[in-house]
Amino acid sequence: MKYLLVSLFLIVSTLSYAQDKGSVVGTVIDKEASDEPLAFANVLIKGTTKGTTTDFDGLYEIANVDPGTYSIVFSYLGYETIEIPNVAIEAGKVTTINVPMAASEGMSLDEVVVTTTTRKDSEAALLLDQKRAVEIKTAIGAQELAKKAVSDAADATTKVTGVNKKEGSSKIYVRGLGDRYNSTTFNGLPLPSNDPRDKNIDLSLFGTDIIENVGISKSFSANLSSDVAGANIDIVSREMTTSSLFKVGISSGYNSQTTFKDFKNIDGANWVGVNTDTKHNVRDLTVYSFSNGFTPETNTASPNLGLSINYGKKFQVSDESTISFFLVGSFDNKYSFQDGVSENVIDVGNTGSQFDTKTYNYNASKMLMGNLVYKINANHKLSFNHLFVHSNNQKIEDFTGTTTDIGRGEDDNRLVNLLLQTEVQNRLFVNQLLSNHKFGETIDVNASLGYSSIYNDEPDRRKNTFIIDNDDNTTRISQNAVRDNSRFYGNLFENDYSANVNAVKYLGERFENKGKVTLGYNGRITDRKFDGIYFDHNFAAPRTAFVDLDNLDNTFNQENLSNGVFGIETSRGRNNNDAETYLPQLYDADKKVHAAYIDAIYNVTDKFTANVGVRAEDIKMNVTWNTNISFPGFSNNSSIDLDKQYILPSLNLKYALNEKINLRASGSLSYTYPQFKEIAPFAYEGINYQESGNPGLLPSDNYNAEVKFEIFPKSNELFAVGVFGKLIQNSINRLERNSSIERDFTFDNAGDASVFGVEVETKLDLFNSESDDFKRNNISVGANATFMKTKLEYNTNNTSFNYTGSSSELEGASPFTINADVSYKFDFEEKETIASLVFNYQSDKVYSIGTNFQENIIEKAVPMLDLVLSHKFNKTIGLKLNAKNILNPSFERYRDIPEKITMNSYKNGVGISAGLSLNF
């Protein structure tokens, strides 16, 4: 510890104290031409060499201006020169000056509009906000997203210290805590999940075109939902900041494992990714009324494609009032292919199924976003946001191999072939109304309302099981389980209503005060309806039911159904005259959360600030189900109620050693409620696994603490070290249980868990230069690392599961994670070049917890490397090149035994893409 303190002292002693920068932007209009934009007007900061000229739209920007008070001079040949005195430039903020110019009469300074706003998309502005905030938080803005080749919000979170993403999933882990321990908001309002198996929405649905910044709060205050222990992730949508915008983008991508190669597609699915036939039409089990075939189609995978259009405009209603709108539309598709292995390793010499795997995955997503902002004046603002996201994922899994009783003998040349075809379609609608009001110099009132709905459909999932006999060159039906040859239809609909309101009283004036007190309310009401039905194909004589793998529909058809080759039954039975036969397995769920809070920030001294809050929450949750699964203590047609009330304190402390250095500490209590799908005893079946809920789950109680040391050498530089700890009572975990089904997963309050770790983060400029002709060069590096130790102590007294051993690491928690990037930037006039190399590494981590003498399944360490190149030729034309997953590592899982025998292995391939943008 002594050496650490000495090292920190030396770092602090040698830091540069360069000032944070601000910028000046605006519009110059021509009073001689009916207020048309005035191009090529000169704009100069008096007494400096900094200046620029307006473009064809009359727009200008002078960036990287030292904070201070200046005079800004506007001139144009034959026009009256205008000098605006006493313009305050603030660090990390944008000062907007809109100027009308005329030939001779000169303009009154009253006609000049000067405003200052915070830039929420720039690296420097977000770091400044982080430095000034009392609570511990991090944000990554649009500027940094572009530099690091981030394409969506999911990738954005992984650039933040302590955040990992689970391979092959949209789930993220924050300090070792997974989906159920995190929360997601959009402009501060909660979002529903697009998938019944997840708590949080798939962040990859949010492309960077709609993101202004992504904030990650890993410590908590009273104004945030307390159903969190990892982090709250808030996506802030873009608004119109300039007078007008019209941007078109097109991109194309190549993948080393798919592009221009044979690719299997699901019959009935399409390239656009729109399925209008999401419900079954079965009303008679003797009629084969399915419109899609079982036989996959084989085509050639084309290059990935991306299209986007951005359009916006701002109107000046009066000197203080503006109305603006911003519209974004996009389409993206992606092909991927994985060629690997899947083996159910129990122990050395004890292996269940062994498969060679081929997985074809096609994803198409469409997005539309629009916002309308009415700025009444500097004190009052109304905005409406609408977001529509449509995603469609089509996956074919084709597994061929052996089981313990097929293909293992010396003379047994048989193979088992599993084929699963899954299409999942999500439609998300988000509507938000937000208002911000300032009354006098001491009171703010903010309110927001949200309504979201999600349609999640899984239409006609098709599963087949075959036995291939290589001796006589035949393939026949295999029927060891009822679901071996089946179709499934699943439909989910969810409504989500939310409201936030708060009143802020400043202890002094708004910008000069000793602190503030906030009283607020958060409410959220969620109701979900889910139903799913299986149509199982039961063959009368499977050993003689031979099939042609290239024409499966020659077997699965009306003729064979009528002739008794197979029959159809649902999970309720096969009685065609009983209405219950057609009753799907279903669960209905609702959750009501009402919270009131008081949050106070007080500047105890000029250097020491305290934030104390208390939050009271009332939660009522009900899950009612009717399935074919019985769970100990519950029938297959039952319900549970989880009603809890909480009083949750939070504390955030900040001590500023000087303008560049902060010491922080935080502590809070929070909770984690089980999710609907973790409770409902509905079995979701994959190609070689099953997952179902546990109605006996209880909420977890979380105790969170953190201390952090921060240095901000310059406006866009940071060095930080943090130590954090969490204690989770009754932690909820995904586990693998012993059953007749291979890889049977469920959930349990496994015991109490502890998380302790250290985070280190740095952002530094290695080289900066600016020539007399305004050519600028910059080389910067960023890196963050997390060292973590987690321990889950099994509570065997309160569980029906037989855990292996007495403790484990937490599911999804990497003991060591590092993100790093190095970037070069050159800009001159309208030209800009950026090159970035981005690296990520996650050490081995627990994929699932083992029971009944089976050890944990471990996900192996993976290094990832991406390269980004972009160039703006001028303000209109831009080009971007990306190379992703350059190292193309193998993603592997193994059983946690000394031999570390591989259970799963596959590669994703190298991706190369090029994009062209036109900004008019």
Side-chain angles (χ1 to χ4, degrees), residues 19-238:
Q19 294 293 309
D20 298 333
K21 307 289 186 180
S23 60
V24 184
V25 301
T27 305
V28 179
I29 61 174
D30 190 349
K31 298 294 288 186
E32 302 291 335
S34 303
D35 293 341
E36 287 293 315
L38 182 60
F40 307 114
N42 300 307
V43 186
L44 179 69
I45 300 179
K46 190 174 181 179
T48 75
T49 59
K50 285 189 174 293
T52 187
T53 59
T54 58
D55 63 15
F56 286 102
D57 297 315
L59 302 174
Y60 70 90
E61 178 183 14
I62 305 175
N64 299 314
V65 182
D66 290 331
T69 301
Y70 299 91
S71 293
I72 312 295
V73 179
F74 297 82
S75 62
Y76 187 74
L77 184 63
Y79 280 53
E80 188 79 11
T81 297
I82 296 176
E83 182 175 324
I84 312 298
N86 302 318
V87 176
I89 306 298
E90 298 183 38
K93 293 190 177 182
V94 179
T95 299
T96 303
I97 307 177
N98 297 324
V99 177
M101 297 187 72
S104 58
E105 65 186 59
M107 302 308 301
S108 167
L109 293 184
D110 292 340
E111 296 183 62
V112 178
V113 180
V114 181
T115 59
T116 301
T117 57
T118 300
R119 288 192 62 181
K120 297 180 180 179
D121 63 343
S122 74
E123 223 172 328
L126 292 171
L127 280 176
L128 181 65
D129 186 49
Q130 177 180 334
K131 180 172 74 172
R132 291 177 174 175
V134 182
E135 69 273 20
I136 302 173
K137 64 179 184 178
T138 306
I140 179 169
Q143 187 183 86
E144 191 174 358
L145 296 179
K147 184 172 74 174
K148 295 183 178 179
V150 172
S151 58
D152 53 57
D155 283 343
T157 60
T158 62
K159 309 307 177 186
V160 174
T161 313
V163 181
N164 304 325
K165 183 180 176 184
K166 191 170 186 176
E167 168 56 28
S169 167
S170 63
K171 297 178 183 179
I172 66 166
Y173 289 80
V174 182
R175 293 172 171 173
L177 302 177
D179 178 65
R180 72 180 65 86
Y181 290 105
N182 300 313
S183 62
T184 307
T185 53
F186 186 58
N187 298 313
L189 287 167
L191 281 173
S193 171
N194 62 300
D195 190 314
R197 292 169 292 172
D198 298 332
K199 172 184 176 182
N200 293 282
I201 194 167
D202 180 356
L203 294 176
S204 66
L205 297 176
F206 296 87
T208 51
D209 277 344
I210 70 170
I211 297 173
E212 185 170 272
N213 66 69
V214 180
I216 296 97
S217 297
K218 292 181 284 187
S219 66
F220 315 116
S221 52
N223 64 310
L224 295 173
S225 168
S226 292
D227 189 359
V228 63
N232 172 256
I233 297 144
D234 185 39
I235 302 167
V236 178
S237 63
R238 286 189 175 181

Side-chain angles (χ1 to χ4, degrees), residues 149-454:
V150 172
S151 58
D152 53 57
D155 283 343
T157 60
T158 62
K159 309 307 177 186
V160 174
T161 313
V163 181
N164 304 325
K165 183 180 176 184
K166 191 170 186 176
E167 168 56 28
S169 167
S170 63
K171 297 178 183 179
I172 66 166
Y173 289 80
V174 182
R175 293 172 171 173
L177 302 177
D179 178 65
R180 72 180 65 86
Y181 290 105
N182 300 313
S183 62
T184 307
T185 53
F186 186 58
N187 298 313
L189 287 167
L191 281 173
S193 171
N194 62 300
D195 190 314
R197 292 169 292 172
D198 298 332
K199 172 184 176 182
N200 293 282
I201 194 167
D202 180 356
L203 294 176
S204 66
L205 297 176
F206 296 87
T208 51
D209 277 344
I210 70 170
I211 297 173
E212 185 170 272
N213 66 69
V214 180
I216 296 97
S217 297
K218 292 181 284 187
S219 66
F220 315 116
S221 52
N223 64 310
L224 295 173
S225 168
S226 292
D227 189 359
V228 63
N232 172 256
I233 297 144
D234 185 39
I235 302 167
V236 178
S237 63
R238 286 189 175 181
E239 292 182 357
M240 193 64 193
T241 56
T242 59
S243 61
S244 63
L245 170 69
F246 180 47
K247 182 179 179 181
V248 178
I250 182 170
S251 63
S252 183
Y254 167 88
N255 183 280
S256 60
Q257 296 180 180
T258 61
T259 307
F260 302 126
K261 297 180 180 179
D262 287 346
F263 193 88
K264 289 188 177 182
N265 301 100
I266 300 173
D267 181 57
N270 55 63
W271 181 84
V272 179
V274 175
N275 192 324
T276 58
D277 187 18
T278 59
K279 297 182 182 295
H280 71 85
N281 298 310
V282 179
R283 303 294 182 268
D284 185 342
L285 296 182
T286 64
V287 177
Y288 205 71
S289 51
F290 301 102
S291 57
N292 302 317
F294 268 102
T295 309
E297 300 174 352
T298 301
N299 298 299
T300 300
S302 59
N304 300 330
L305 177 67
L307 300 169
S308 66
I309 298 177
N310 297 13
Y311 180 70
K313 205 164 186 64
K314 180 182 286 188
F315 302 93
Q316 194 78 36
V317 180
S318 65
D319 289 345
E320 291 187 308
S321 179
T322 61
I323 293 178
S324 65
F325 68 87
F326 179 56
L327 304 173
V328 180
S330 68
F331 170 84
D332 293 281
N333 72 357
K334 181 181 179 181
Y335 294 87
S336 64
F337 172 72
Q338 298 168 352
D339 188 356
V341 298
S342 175
E343 299 187 4
N344 186 31
V345 176
I346 309 300
D347 207 335
V348 176
N350 183 6
T351 301
S353 60
Q354 294 178 302
F355 292 109
D356 293 326
T357 66
K358 297 182 185 298
T359 303
Y360 304 83
N361 200 83
Y362 175 75
N363 187 77
S365 62
K366 285 73 64 181
M367 184 272 297
L368 291 171
M369 190 197 80
N371 64 47
L372 180 66
V373 179
Y374 177 32
K375 183 181 177 184
I376 303 169
N377 53 42
N379 295 322
H380 302 281
K381 176 183 173 183
L382 297 173
S383 58
F384 174 75
N385 297 316
H386 174 74
L387 174 69
F388 170 64
V389 178
H390 184 291
S391 66
N392 181 283
N393 183 265
Q394 305 161 20
K395 179 188 288 187
I396 294 180
E397 298 168 274
D398 192 349
F399 288 18
T400 304
T402 65
T403 64
T404 53
D405 55 354
I406 296 177
R408 296 286 171 86
E410 290 185 7
D411 298 325
D412 191 347
N413 291 321
R414 296 177 298 164
L415 295 172
V416 176
N417 180 213
L418 305 179
L419 181 65
L420 183 67
Q421 305 176 67
T422 307
E423 181 177 11
V424 177
Q425 179 170 270
N426 301 301
R427 290 169 291 158
L428 170 68
F429 299 84
V430 178
N431 298 279
Q432 298 181 333
L433 181 63
L434 302 95
S435 65
N436 307 98
H437 306 280
K438 300 174 183 177
F439 299 97
E441 294 296 328
T442 61
I443 295 177
D444 292 349
V445 176
N446 306 295
S448 54
L449 295 171
Y451 169 67
S452 302
S453 59
I454 181 75

Side-chain angles (χ1 to χ4, degrees), residues 476-548:
R476 67 170 177 84
I477 292 290
S478 175
Q479 189 169 284
N480 290 322
V482 68
R483 296 281 130 75
D484 278 352
N485 296 278
S486 61
R487 294 178 184 257
F488 171 80
Y489 288 80
N491 304 102
L492 175 145
F493 175 69
E494 183 170 300
N495 284 309
D496 194 281
Y497 307 88
S498 57
N500 293 339
V501 62
N502 64 66
V504 182
K505 169 63 177 176
Y506 294 93
L507 306 178
E509 296 185 354
R510 185 170 287 104
F511 298 108
E512 292 186 15
N513 56 68
K514 290 287 290 182
K516 62 181 181 180
V517 178
T518 303
L519 294 174
Y521 163 82
N522 304 137
R524 185 180 186 185
I525 299 174
T526 304
D527 64 81
R528 173 185 291 184
K529 293 186 180 298
F530 173 81
D531 62 73
I533 186 168
Y534 284 94
F535 296 98
D536 302 315
H537 295 56
N538 186 13
F539 281 78
R543 292 179 178 273
T544 57
F546 297 103
V547 300
D548 178 0

Side-chain angles (χ1 to χ4, degrees), residues 753-789:
S754 60
V755 181
F756 298 98
V758 177
E759 292 179 342
V760 181
E761 180 180 10
T762 183
K763 295 181 180 181
L764 295 172
D765 284 339
L766 296 183
F767 176 77
N768 257 322
S769 72
E770 182 174 349
S771 62
D772 292 339
D773 56 357
F774 303 110
K775 291 180 180 178
R776 289 183 290 269
N777 290 273
N778 172 264
I779 299 176
S780 63
V781 295
N784 61 70
T786 303
F787 307 86
M788 191 165 55
K789 182 175 179 58

